[in-house]
Amino acid sequence: MTERYVLDLQEVDETQVAVVGGKGAHLGGLSRIEGIRVPAGFCVTTDAFRRIMAEAPSLDDRLDQLSRLNPDDREAIRTLSAQIRRTVEGIAVPDDLTAAITRALARLGEQAAYAVRSSATAEDLPTASFAGQQDTYLNVVGPTAILQHVSRCWASLFTERAVTYRQRNGIDHRTIHMAVVVQRMVFPHASGILFTADPVTGNRKVATVDAGFGLGEALVSGLVNPDVFKVRHGEVVAKAIAAKQRAVHALPTGGTQEVAIDSRRQEQPALTDAQVVRLVQLGRRIEAHFGRPQDIEWCLVDDGFQIVQSRPITTLFPVPETGDQENHVYVSVGHQQMMTDPMKPLGLSMWQLTAMVPMHTAGGRLFVDVTRRLAAPASRAGLLDVMGRGDPLVRDALETVLDRDDFVPSLPDAGPGGPPTGGASATIETDPAIVTELIERSQVSIAALERDIRTKTGPALFEFLLKAFAEHKRVLSDPLSMQAIMAGMEATWWLNDTLQEWLGEKNAADTLTLSAPDNVTSEMGLALLDVADVIRPQSEVVAFLQGVEDEGFVDELAKLAGGTEARDAIEAYLDRYGMRCVGEIDITRPRWRERPTTLVPVLLDNVRNFEPGAAERRFEQGRQKARQKEQDVLSRLRALPDGDRKAGEAKRMIDRVRTFIGYREYPKYGIVSRYFVYKQALLEEAERLVQAGVLPEKEDIFYLTFQELHDVVRSNQVDDRLIQQRKDALRSYHALTPPRVLTSDGEAVTGAYRRDDVPVGALIGLPVSAGTIEGRARVILDIAEADLEAGDILVTTFTDPSWSPLFVAVAGLVTEVGGLMTHGAVIAREYGLPAVVGVERATRLIRDGQRIRVHGTDGYVEILP
């Protein structure tokens, strides 16, 4: 029985992670690939680790203590994990285990030098790298030293950083076991790392080789800068040779030491171009075997490459699956919908089923394939124009891809270029009755949906929903609705472009759209000020709200003095806006009606920061400012040559923008209103599945697509493993940053602003609401944690309509994502807040509490000393 403690590398493969850990399993898999050389060795299995852990009963209590610690309590984790490591290292290795290890050493050469490496069961997985969490010991000589280092590897499962990583990722310490890989040491001329996809851009066609002299530890530990080679289609396309002043070499007696490199050799490349190309060919073979891009550690020994490690690259954004070998260019939907977080499978599939264009999924996000529209010159110009007005970074990224030779094929204009952009709006009159009629149409359609869905259950509900999605799309694609939206946007663009040309004034439309009528999103922010007016005089209600944690608090209000009025005001607000929430394009996100505590901090800020009647005053002040701006612009135009004509045209456009710009927000409100109706019906269905014992909990349906859920309802059976896999995948997607533009090569193209009119050190973005404001930055990533004072500037990743209640309380806005016509920009203009959007990494570069100056007219942010 002793033999199960030790397995030769040749006996294992990547299916045996539970037995030999991630590293051991990958090395076993590598050793089976034709043409790949792996240094000989063996694995001390996880059975051996379990045997050791069982030798010290006190470890159980300590692991219990450890799991109860807060991941942020560094001191306690440091102390307890050090005790556990000392205990593990102090356990005498049982005789039969010692014998198994020494027998394996005798087969390979007892006095040879070995590398002894930790191999945990949860490292090198496709979704979590755990890289560098456990320890590796090089050039270990003799059985006694090797046994001692095996013990150290077991103990390294409990290093402070490994423990913290597991706690932060919700991984139970007891579920991870440690194997140890013992491998013949190689003494390389050069070594380094090969990434089979570019780790920076994600391009799967470009391999990157980092190379240095001696052992790879010099690169891994950051002791030297490596030579860097990039290889595409079998040739070196770029290289940077570093001055390599030091290397790590093995000592004859064991261990390693740093040595200085002869000055004549420092500038020499560690590999020839031919060797680099040969190495990448090996890398492609390894990648094909494991089925995904790899991060590979290699050594060059006597002109032959040996592979000492291969793991998946976990930081790459996945590529949408198409099933063809063609080139594709994808644009992120999340950057246009102001929601770049990953969505759950039900959220993705519901958006796909109700969207106006086909969408692809990757990394929990949605993308539109724009290749055909980029390929034909006529549709290309229209697409670039619309993208550029929305988000210049997307346009720049698309132009970067177009500049690449032949990536996007050229098609004749007759090709299906997609609908023309914005050409239909010329026929619409400037008539407020159009907006009234459109809103009415939408309300009638939603009322019918609410009425008709009530009687539907089981498979009949799904048949009904498919018809409802068709109606949903019909309302969205109503030609009159499209014309009204385009009329407002085109009038805005006309005013900004023309008044800059005629009067030299930037972004004039920003002031002209203040307090525009019929904007359901800006009304939502003002309406919460009215709710605050009801609550403010009732001190008992205010005190109660400060301690609220339970979602049922609204019903509790009636027990308090003045609480009935407060309850009625909140209820009325939720009736009108309760279907909204952060990330509302994902149907699975909790709505305000489901989680009203989300609104409490914003409501209390309003109670504290405003006087009664603030909503009406704010709206009226905006209207007056817009009217004064209009008079000012028209009188200045009349003074110009041909002034009456210019003033007449401007007046028509101002009327047009004020008539239609508010409606821009309404279709999204309609979508989200429908979504809440769909969601409630699907959750009732989920409740029946829970009652029938098919699902453990209702929200498990969020991890199924609409079609899969339909199948579950029909069959009353569900694949529990699928739901668990989806939950794990979602966790890994949170760590990925979705690109604005992604190619089928996997390249994430970010785009740049390419501006030189900005002060040094300023953060560049897109100017979307004019004015300059200075104040304290509040970096807020969750609306439920808002704590604002008058004059604060809101800094966040993205804002969808659910953030607009915060807009009434702040003096300016900075976001990482957004464009000229996205929700945050529209509402910022209506409230008169200077705003800059599309500021890359704003929430990381600006610290909470710092003073900043937002240049909303020129599109940049200064961090003040």
Side-chain angles (χ1 to χ4, degrees), residues 391-626:
D391 182 344
L393 292 177
V394 173
R395 178 180 181 137
D396 187 77
L398 290 174
E399 287 176 332
T400 303
V401 175
L402 285 168
D403 286 344
R404 308 264 163 82
D405 295 341
D406 301 333
F407 188 82
V408 177
S410 275
L411 291 177
D413 276 335
T421 38
S425 57
T427 54
I428 194 173
E429 293 295 314
T430 303
D431 180 359
I434 292 172
V435 172
T436 311
E437 183 195 335
L438 284 166
I439 290 173
E440 212 165 278
R441 281 187 201 177
S442 174
Q443 286 171 339
V444 167
S445 175
I446 291 167
L449 171 68
E450 287 173 330
R451 184 188 65 235
D452 297 342
I453 204 169
R454 282 189 194 125
T455 55
K456 306 291 187 286
T457 60
L461 170 67
F462 289 82
E463 308 298 332
F464 171 82
L465 281 172
L466 289 170
K467 292 193 186 81
F469 298 161
E471 166 67 0
H472 179 125
K473 287 168 132 175
R474 188 194 65 75
V475 173
L476 268 188
S477 60
D478 179 341
L480 191 63
S481 176
M482 307 291 265
Q483 288 174 328
I485 292 168
M486 287 311 299
M489 285 171 33
E490 287 180 344
T492 306
W493 298 334
W494 187 94
L495 285 166
N496 280 339
D497 294 348
T498 312
L499 295 181
Q500 180 154 10
E501 187 191 327
W502 287 347
L503 297 175
E505 184 162 343
K506 282 185 185 173
N507 300 9
D510 294 0
T511 312
L512 294 165
T513 50
L514 285 169
S515 299
D518 298 311
N519 187 322
V520 67
T521 309
S522 54
E523 285 164 8
M524 178 168 77
L526 297 173
L528 202 62
L529 288 175
D530 290 335
V531 178
D533 285 355
V534 176
I535 289 169
R536 195 177 290 106
Q538 314 299 340
S539 54
E540 218 176 297
V541 173
V542 173
F544 170 74
L545 288 176
Q546 278 161 345
V548 153
E549 284 178 6
D550 179 28
E551 297 302 345
F553 76 92
V554 180
D555 296 331
E556 301 289 309
L557 285 168
K559 300 175 187 167
L560 308 172
T564 308
E565 294 87 336
R567 182 197 62 195
D568 292 349
I570 292 172
E571 276 292 341
Y573 187 84
L574 290 173
D575 283 345
R576 181 135 166 76
Y577 304 111
M579 78 296 284
R580 307 224 84 149
C581 67
V582 171
E584 60 194 8
I585 71 168
D586 183 349
I587 198 168
T588 70
R589 289 288 190 103
R591 312 283 134 176
W592 290 344
R593 174 52 89 186
E594 297 169 302
R595 201 176 282 176
T597 52
T598 309
L599 289 171
V600 171
V602 194
L603 199 46
L604 289 169
D605 281 349
N606 287 352
V607 166
R608 190 176 69 240
N609 293 335
F610 291 93
E611 298 293 316
E616 200 176 334
R617 270 198 310 281
R618 286 286 295 265
F619 191 75
E620 196 44 46
Q621 282 164 355
R623 243 174 41 151
Q624 295 295 347
K625 264 194 201 159

Side-chain angles (χ1 to χ4, degrees), residues 16-28:
Q16 289 165 276
V17 172
V19 183
V20 294
K23 194 171 288 167
H26 270 83
L27 281 166

Side-chain angles (χ1 to χ4, degrees), residues 690-766:
V690 171
Q691 297 299 327
V694 178
L695 284 177
E697 49 194 78
K698 277 197 309 191
E699 299 202 340
D700 282 349
I701 68 165
F702 296 163
Y703 295 93
L704 300 170
T705 65
F706 180 80
Q707 189 54 57
E708 288 166 347
L709 179 54
H710 190 176
D711 294 341
V712 169
V713 167
R714 270 199 296 248
S715 66
N716 263 355
Q717 289 180 311
V718 72
D719 180 351
D720 297 333
R721 279 177 327 204
L722 177 69
I723 289 176
Q724 191 50 54
Q725 279 166 1
R726 296 270 174 81
K727 288 178 177 176
D728 293 343
L730 184 76
R731 220 185 353 255
S732 73
Y733 295 154
H734 274 284
L736 300 174
T737 303
R740 282 176 166 80
V741 170
L742 178 67
T743 72
S744 47
D745 285 352
E747 185 178 2
V749 192
T750 47
Y753 284 110
R754 310 194 191 281
R755 284 168 47 193
D756 50 14
D757 57 343
V758 171
V760 176
L763 311 180
I764 302 178
L766 182 65

Side-chain angles (χ1 to χ4, degrees), residues 345-355 465 469 585 587 675 678-679 682 706:
L346 187 65
L348 291 166
S349 69
M350 292 289 278
W351 194 261
Q352 284 174 300
L353 286 165
T354 51
L465 281 172
F469 298 161
I585 71 168
I587 198 168
Y675 258 35
Y678 306 152
K679 182 180 189 178
L682 290 171
F706 180 80

Side-chain angles (χ1 to χ4, degrees), residues 205-231:
K205 299 272 174 76
V206 175
T208 303
V209 175
D210 289 6
F213 294 121
L215 292 168
E217 296 309 290
L219 303 190
V220 175
S221 63
L223 181 66
V224 296
N225 289 328
D227 296 340
V228 181
F229 302 85
K230 291 195 183 294
V231 176

